[in-house]
Amino acid sequence: MTRVWKWNRPVTVREVLEDLQQERSIAYTTVMTVLDNLHQKGWVRREAEGRAYRYEAVSTRAAYAAALMNDAWAQSDNPAAALVAFFGMMSDEQRQALADAVRIVQGPESVEPAEAAEPVRPVEPSRETVEDNPGSAPEGDGR
């Protein structure tokens, strides 16, 4: 999928193969099988072009990442504790991206100027949160 997203347009097996071969040796049939499997799983769509197909991603890489995060969050028996643990793992850049995304989703009219100027601070899970909800926060650093 990384290669399909990288091209950002419909691609052939040959194009993906040549791109991959810049880094390692790989067979045409391997690339063809992987793209066919991605098509069967609904991750890419394809259109015939002569005797070959052109493959295109069904969703963006960002939408895929969002779906993964949503699926993982849905698995938690304590969504608030999962978010607290997740926010605690974020870098400063990730927290800023989150703050920017919240502003975009909420719209400019929902954020007052004083709030927009405040930096996003790291969130650490409290002892109570972890002790009251065993298994809701990862052990150690979560890796």
Side-chain angles (χ1 to χ4, degrees):
M1 284 305 302
T2 299
R3 300 301 167 138
V4 175
W5 283 319
K6 174 183 161 188
W7 285 75
N8 199 28
R9 65 167 174 78
V11 295
T12 64
V13 171
R14 176 73 52 203
E15 289 172 322
V16 175
L17 172 72
E18 289 172 359
D19 194 27
L20 287 168
Q21 285 181 332
Q22 293 177 19
E23 297 172 15
R24 62 187 168 116
S25 177
I26 189 167
Y28 180 93
T29 53
T30 301
V31 177
M32 184 175 62
T33 299
V34 170
L35 285 169
D36 185 59
N37 288 343
L38 290 171
H39 176 257
Q40 290 178 25
K41 291 179 179 184
W43 290 34
V44 296
R45 61 180 148 259
R46 67 183 182 194
E47 285 195 31
E49 184 176 280
R51 294 181 1 162
Y53 287 108
R54 283 207 171 266
Y55 295 86
E56 183 176 21
V58 169
S59 68
T60 65
R61 187 178 203 144
Y64 172 72
L68 283 177
M69 289 186 286
N70 190 54
D71 289 346
W73 189 36
Q75 298 298 316
S76 175
D77 60 346
N78 187 334
L83 283 174
V84 168
F86 180 63
F87 295 157
M89 294 177 199
M90 295 174 102
S91 68
D92 289 340
E93 292 81 20
Q94 290 169 323
R95 282 190 289 278
Q96 187 58 54
L98 176 63
D100 293 344
V102 168
R103 279 192 286 278
I104 290 167
V105 170
Q106 290 178 339
E109 66 280 351
S110 66
V111 179
E112 294 182 21
E115 291 176 353
E118 289 184 34
V120 178
R121 303 248 188 269
V123 177
E124 295 293 328
S126 68
R127 290 287 276 161
E128 286 180 7
T129 303
V130 175
E131 290 171 1
D132 290 346
N133 300 298
S136 63
E139 294 287 324
D141 67 0
R143 291 181 209 175

